[in-house]
Amino acid sequence: MSIPFDKFKEHCAIFGVYNIKEASNYVYLGLHALQHRGQEGCGIVTRDKGVFYKKRSRGLVLEAFDKTDIESLKGEIGIGHNRYSTSGDSSIVNLQPLTASFDLGDIAIAHNGNIVNAFEIRQRLINDGAIFSSSSDTEVIIHLIARQKGSFDQRLVLALEQLKGAFSLVILFNETLYAIKDPWGFRPLAMGELNDSVCFASETCAFDLIGAKFIRELDSGEIVKVDKYGVNSFKPFKKENSYRCVFEYIYFARPDSYLWDNHVYEIRKKIGQQLALKSKVDADIVIAVPDSGMPAAIGYAQASGLPFEIGIIRNHYVGRTFIEPTDSIRHFGVKLKLNPSSDVLNNKRVVVVDDSIVRGTTSRRIVKMIRNAGAKEVHLRIASPPVTHPCFYGIDTPTKAELIASSHTIEEITKYATADSVEYISVEDLESIVGKNNYCYACFTGNYPISFE
Amino acid sequence: MSIPFDKFKEHCAIFGVYNIKEASNYVYLGLHALQHRGQEGCGIVTRDKGVFYKKRSRGLVLEAFDKTDIESLKGEIGIGHNRYSTSGDSSIVNLQPLTASFDLGDIAIAHNGNIVNAFEIRQRLINDGAIFSSSSDTEVIIHLIARQKGSFDQRLVLALEQLKGAFSLVILFNETLYAIKDPWGFRPLAMGELNDSVCFASETCAFDLIGAKFIRELDSGEIVKVDKYGVNSFKPFKKENSYRCVFEYIYFARPDSYLWDNHVYEIRKKIGQQLALKSKVDADIVIAVPDSGMPAAIGYAQASGLPFEIGIIRNHYVGRTFIEPTDSIRHFGVKLKLNPSSDVLNNKRVVVVDDSIVRGTTSRRIVKMIRNAGAKEVHLRIASPPVTHPCFYGIDTPTKAELIASSHTIEEITKYATADSVEYISVEDLESIVGKNNYCYACFTGNYPISFE
Amino acid sequence: MSIPFDKFKEHCAIFGVYNIKEASNYVYLGLHALQHRGQEGCGIVTRDKGVFYKKRSRGLVLEAFDKTDIESLKGEIGIGHNRYSTSGDSSIVNLQPLTASFDLGDIAIAHNGNIVNAFEIRQRLINDGAIFSSSSDTEVIIHLIARQKGSFDQRLVLALEQLKGAFSLVILFNETLYAIKDPWGFRPLAMGELNDSVCFASETCAFDLIGAKFIRELDSGEIVKVDKYGVNSFKPFKKENSYRCVFEYIYFARPDSYLWDNHVYEIRKKIGQQLALKSKVDADIVIAVPDSGMPAAIGYAQASGLPFEIGIIRNHYVGRTFIEPTDSIRHFGVKLKLNPSSDVLNNKRVVVVDDSIVRGTTSRRIVKMIRNAGAKEVHLRIASPPVTHPCFYGIDTPTKAELIASSHTIEEITKYATADSVEYISVEDLESIVGKNNYCYACFTGNYPISFE
Amino acid sequence: MSIPFDKFKEHCAIFGVYNIKEASNYVYLGLHALQHRGQEGCGIVTRDKGVFYKKRSRGLVLEAFDKTDIESLKGEIGIGHNRYSTSGDSSIVNLQPLTASFDLGDIAIAHNGNIVNAFEIRQRLINDGAIFSSSSDTEVIIHLIARQKGSFDQRLVLALEQLKGAFSLVILFNETLYAIKDPWGFRPLAMGELNDSVCFASETCAFDLIGAKFIRELDSGEIVKVDKYGVNSFKPFKKENSYRCVFEYIYFARPDSYLWDNHVYEIRKKIGQQLALKSKVDADIVIAVPDSGMPAAIGYAQASGLPFEIGIIRNHYVGRTFIEPTDSIRHFGVKLKLNPSSDVLNNKRVVVVDDSIVRGTTSRRIVKMIRNAGAKEVHLRIASPPVTHPCFYGIDTPTKAELIASSHTIEEITKYATADSVEYISVEDLESIVGKNNYCYACFTGNYPISFE
């Protein structure tokens, strides 16, 4: 049984590197730095002397690969992928990178995102005689490429321009490495360099670990091609407005990543500061729901002048599964991970800052936990607007009906959570911090940039 | 390291069952009975309420599946496969049954045999935009079916009539079970029944285990279709001469199987008897190389009047891998499996019966082993003609150059094996026992029924 | 679930080697050759530069140790043990060799047998302040040694002369190797040599595999000590009559072993011959329950003039556990292992030779199996006298009440087994073949050489 | 390879519970809450109807036990143990609880601490005929108990009064539970209650998780006995001064635990505040080395008025082992766990607070990491006095020679760490916060309360 932590889930992380000795070492380290974006399984494909080397496995990067694995992945070029299983199905067949042989040679592909019209294209391909061995969107992309005419570059463009939705990709085609971002730019993808090598990663924290220098974020709709002739960029797709996922700032990205011209940590602190200004409350201390609520809580504390304290301790020895104890002692999910510090909380009026509320169940447990530890008042402050709509662009969210804010007022949520008050940052305040244009706020507003009927 | 036993290797076993509660139990037991045809890995696919359940694993059937696995494979219809890895590559991706989705629904396929023109068809498909995720012939078959037009039955025929080579198949197409034998009838495939259910197996010994009744061997080129309308047979392919693999009688089939109108054990005994008549030698005892040489040795003993003894003990606790000890004590491969009984052999003139000679290395070690145990004379009798040509119809054989009989006379083989005499049964004698027509003797004669340029 | 094969079970095998490079290789191979004496777990201890190296594991020798394990077991001296779990408890703690530190240094000990007064001594030791961390008899021996006074040799004698029962032992005491047999000589233990090294094994088949020369069986009550001063033998114990286990000849020992001045295979054949003379029956063929019934069946066939055939095929791919299928298809235990060959059996009057009958359940299933395969008559011939009493000297037997021959006449057994006739060899005939003196026939007669109230 | 994080290591955690249904569930949860005190392995022993149930395993509690394990540990009384391997030897044999049988019955024991005179006692026992099957101190305790005379309570006292050193123990003797603290009271052990049950744990955070109420810390030299007659306390040992381990406050204990009349978090914050007052420096921000430096850093920030920021991100997906990459990219140990946030650090004068400095290597890497992220100045503040002496009372420390502060001045340490300044809290200031009496400061002063020549 997995720990029932009520958060949105990122689908994936991708990483690629070109022209470096023992490339598999760098992919391995890069994927480790991106582990927060997907923990169900991972994979690495490298290329040496015309042959793909491939290893995919369930579990965390540091556990999935041993020294022998890394050494057996030969070559100076490689890509990798961390997966979060959306459908509870983390069978090896659905792990990435996906590989296939087709008329121009071999292809390996790692994908972060979600193709809105994948099912429709899949049906079209199937009607045209294609067979599918996995249920992943990514297999659709390979089929589309294989069925075009012309050079690989031409086919790539012809294939990708049929796709609607979110796709950040790294692709190995024989000896060439491609990094690609969809025209709407939903998911991040950054380029770095390390001596004479080029690398790509979902977030810049991967560059920090391997000692690479961050160069720039890919543009929406950009294809970067790296081969022996050098690094070339082209933007062959019809120009679209950018819709970068604002939830990357709220929750997914690591706070030490630099994303779309902002430091993630800085954005989160500003949200906390704004929350403090707009939803002031008489209180004694500010605490965070660790770890994601920390930067906003620090921002809140600084703006409000209230002391920041560590009122909830996180147990880091929680694996990805646990045994639900028997009837007499159920409902340990949250407690296995979080423990309130009664020393800090007893007899206090507490502001507790969390990044978001999804179903509300975890918030309710946390508020009760704080109150049981002796708090006199519990004021919940949320570093995102109310989440009212599911995401279709690469995030694993519950249905609309399960999102508490889609059907409950803030008063009702306050009551359900048993809090003394609940306040969210508004969409407008978030826009003023992050920027109004170029971002996707659909999960807060329902204004979906790509339709999907 | 695998035990270097110098035998031809069967590619595979297949099994299918229709209309029986807990079908997975029967597939599991059927595959176990067919374990001798492939030990590298196995798989089962069942169908229930429109969904495939699938489990594939490396290793033996009894080890690969536990109770939870079998119970999770729901439904009253199922197929299974044992695999012997031809290329040393038993990665999970190449295990069968292979499954795919295509325009008419879902397909699962288990294949015993070898498609001679698979590479040619694969190239044609690739040029036409197909992508391949495995290196198996079987994926070719699925692509061919998916790309035809018409009903599934029509497509099946259109697809299969493009294939040259050996293919015994069981196929699940949605809720329908198909059992198919190629027009040349290379590999066996039998039909049985158990109460109201129908089953198919590579050999009848699988029926014995589950308590099913053997009905008949499929004809060459026959398709048997089992669905809610009953069992229907059709023979849509151009009529070809039958070329049943005579090596099934020599070595592959289990001696308790009934195959192509003959009991395997009976055929082997007759070969031994014929050997005794044609290659008489003054000796004290007859022993077998266990276990495959046993029936022929018993036949030899009965026809010659010499006593049959157990002169070589087989160690059955040999797994599929072992550690090659260090330099000081190498070359244990054969000794780990076989031990001569000096009690039986000492001071004796020994006739030792083996089923075949491939490279000759094992024969040489066995002769030396017998002589070291005190035998005065060692006369090797081989229950097959000299193997001079590789097989292209579903058997894993070494190249022609590695087959000792392709380049050495019997005198030279005798000398190499350090035997006092070596005698084979002749092709003519084998034909007189098995039948001349309808069988493939290509590995002894080089007369290949299907060309493969 | 383990395959319910109704046989007596040997407790263990032991092996030791002195003065050979990479001793662990030889222990590993020796234990493999002795695998038939115990399959639940195994262990090796070696000694190098004053340190024990130790590895114990559940499972078969070839699976339990990999190359790294063998290499990590350093030194030129080592002992090993195969274990059959008597009480269903094969936890690692009870695997051998057992090691301990005491005042004279380190000791490792591997034991084959059963100490009749172990419980009594254990209680005495416990009353005297000893603590026990396992439930094995062997820990008693170590405690006894540790609590004596004097040199190790003196203590060894003082300790062992307190024991009643069966104990063949190999012991490493610091750099010295001991091989020891109890004064009654119940269980076998042989000495061999390989160049300048000395080795000990439960059976001589272990010497054959490693290329060592069999020197002699240890005498009852003998201690052989091997150290830098050479090989020394002493017999310090009070002289007792020898009571060698006759069941080693009947079932446990490998047929290629040479045991107590006889070849095991030869003894078994003679039993079969004697059975044929004494219990003649009009029949068409003689078959064996494989593999243990084979030599007696061959003897029977030779003496009776009836043809020997392979009427039951053994499936060698049966691991040590299997899944009992669901209700609809239960009772597969025997069928998973054995399949009758209807070709051979149909319409025949069959003599089937088995080594022994324990509970009778397996015999009943085998007879029914043969009859279902078409046999007209089934005559069961047993190569041992009726087993009427349990063993207390190192064999795992059911209770007296479970032994069918303890409470049923041969007529009743015949009826239960649904056979046309059942005949055993008599104790007198067995004595005439094996020798009357120096052997333990207690499981047939109830005349226990050591009392155990 | 384990992550080379340069910290003192706690030996162990212990937990016990009496009179609660499904006791194993509570031991499992209690051990999970105490996971920070030992991660190499764990074990649970329960008692039901006169039988011990036992399971020990390498790894984390949540991974080591599955539902079947927990259910198989029957009974309403149980103890458990988390182990940190001191000698790199976490073989199963050395995991606890240790169990044994002796004349009064069965005993299971879990130990946190280190017996200073264990070797001496072990030698005495060995000379007296005892045998040892593990290398742990705990086996010494069991031997001592088994060799006394009288009732269990009498023996327990006679045995324990021979021990010098640190021992917090939970013991199951048949159906009785004992919780014991040595006369010096080095290591913590607390008592709690949950309805009608009594429980004991190394730290109170275990009570929080299972919903038990903290009752009190055991006194130094106290034995609490829980059986059907109730809870009884006695203090049979010669009275000693208390020497509670002050490092529990500095680093080991979880910040949400309540220990020896203080909240751990509060003590750490006070240390940070005191550090700010005594070692003021002109700076822009205060950051912590996560997670252990957090409370002191918050205290420092509050007292200094400088803003607290999260300047180093911890990667929580680091397992206990990792692959050291090849030569080209070595030295990733610290970077795999910690990443500086250049956003926060760039161009800043940074105060970084860590809990202690052991060898200095990690401090040096962290300072360099912060400087590479753009910091203008790096001021290291240490929430403990300089560690100059190893611990002999249950903590795994390097030798004196490896402790950088034992041979270097603060100036030299500053230079080695490449910091702009390094300041420690003084022993006197620490005493003023924690209390001077009743605590052991030996690792800072060398004043060892128990000699150990």
Side-chain angles (χ1 to χ4, degrees), chain D residues 370-424:
Chain D
I370 293 168
R371 222 181 272 284
N372 287 341
K376 281 194 304 192
E377 296 175 15
V378 184
H379 302 278
L380 192 54
R381 293 297 175 268
I382 305 301
S384 73
V387 174
T388 53
H389 290 74
C391 175
F392 299 96
Y393 312 123
I395 305 302
D396 184 32
T397 55
T399 61
K400 193 167 192 308
E402 293 172 280
L403 296 169
I404 191 170
S406 76
S407 54
H408 292 72
T409 64
I410 289 180
E411 289 69 40
E412 289 167 341
I413 294 170
T414 308
K415 197 170 169 194
Y416 173 77
T418 74
D420 291 286
S421 72
V422 174
E423 299 283 353
Y424 291 86

Side-chain angles (χ1 to χ4, degrees), chain C residues 341-384:
Chain C
S341 195
S342 58
D343 166 29
V344 173
L345 302 168
N346 192 30
N347 220 24
K348 295 281 169 46
R349 293 170 303 169
V350 178
V351 171
V352 55
V353 182
D354 202 355
D355 58 89
S356 59
I357 297 181
V358 180
R359 289 178 185 79
T361 47
T362 297
S363 303
R364 179 182 165 98
R365 283 189 194 148
I366 286 170
V367 171
K368 287 191 167 182
M369 181 185 275
I370 293 169
R371 222 180 273 283
N372 287 340
K376 281 194 303 190
E377 297 176 12
V378 184
H379 301 277
L380 191 55
R381 293 297 174 268
I382 304 303
S384 74

Side-chain angles (χ1 to χ4, degrees), chain D residues 114-118 121 160 162-167 184 450-451:
Chain D
N114 188 56
I115 311 296
V116 171
N117 62 341
I121 298 177
L160 297 180
Q162 300 180 46
L163 303 178
K164 287 184 180 177
F167 52 93
W184 304 268
I450 300 179
S451 62

Side-chain angles (χ1 to χ4, degrees), chain A residues 3 21-22 25-26 28-29 32-37 39 60 62-63 65-68 70-71 194 205 208-211 254-257 263-267 269 291 294-295 298 302 307-311 313-329 332 335-344, chain D residues 3 21-22 25-26 28-29 32-37 39 60 62-63 65-68 70-71 194 205 208-211 254-257 263-267 269 291 294-295 298 302 307-311 313-329 332 335-344:
Chain A
I3 304 279
K21 280 203 178 155
E22 299 163 344
N25 273 299
Y26 294 88
Y28 166 79
L29 291 167
H32 167 63
L34 300 168
Q35 190 75 76
H36 59 291
R37 298 179 73 86
Q39 297 102 44
L60 297 181
L62 291 197
E63 294 166 359
F65 295 90
D66 64 20
K67 202 173 172 58
T68 311
I70 295 298
E71 286 173 359
L194 176 56
C205 60
D208 292 340
L209 179 56
I210 63 169
R254 248 173 60 173
D256 52 335
S257 283
H263 288 102
V264 173
Y265 179 80
E266 199 56 35
I267 294 282
K269 263 189 66 182
D291 288 344
M294 294 283 262
I298 290 172
Q302 290 177 1
F308 170 76
E309 301 287 354
I310 297 179
I313 306 299
R314 182 168 164 188
N315 186 330
H316 292 299
Y317 300 106
V318 176
R320 274 146 300 135
T321 58
F322 77 107
I323 310 167
E324 175 72 40
T326 46
D327 281 352
S328 44
I329 45 169
F332 271 80
K335 288 183 80 178
L336 285 176
K337 250 190 176 163
L338 302 179
N339 195 39
S341 196
S342 57
D343 166 30
V344 174
Chain D
I3 303 279
K21 281 203 178 155
E22 298 164 344
N25 273 297
Y26 293 87
Y28 166 78
L29 291 167
H32 166 63
L34 300 169
Q35 190 75 76
H36 59 292
R37 297 179 75 85
Q39 298 102 43
L60 298 180
L62 291 197
E63 294 166 358
F65 295 90
D66 63 21
K67 201 172 172 55
T68 311
I70 294 298
E71 287 174 359
L194 176 57
C205 59
D208 293 342
L209 179 56
I210 63 170
R254 246 172 62 172
D256 51 337
S257 284
H263 288 103
V264 174
Y265 179 78
E266 199 56 35
I267 293 282
K269 264 189 65 182
D291 287 343
M294 294 283 260
I298 289 171
Q302 289 177 1
F308 170 76
E309 302 284 356
I310 296 179
I313 306 300
R314 182 167 163 188
N315 186 329
H316 292 297
Y317 300 106
V318 175
R320 273 144 303 133
T321 59
F322 76 107
I323 310 167
E324 176 71 41
T326 46
D327 283 351
S328 45
I329 45 169
F332 272 84
K335 288 183 80 178
L336 285 177
K337 252 191 177 162
L338 302 179
N339 195 39
S341 194
S342 57
D343 165 29
V344 174

Side-chain angles (χ1 to χ4, degrees), chain B residues 345-370:
Chain B
L345 302 168
N346 193 30
N347 220 25
K348 296 279 168 47
R349 295 169 302 169
V350 178
V351 172
V352 54
V353 182
D354 202 356
D355 59 89
S356 59
I357 297 180
V358 179
R359 288 177 186 81
T361 48
T362 296
S363 303
R364 179 183 165 97
R365 283 189 193 149
I366 286 170
V367 170
K368 288 192 167 182
M369 181 186 276
I370 293 169

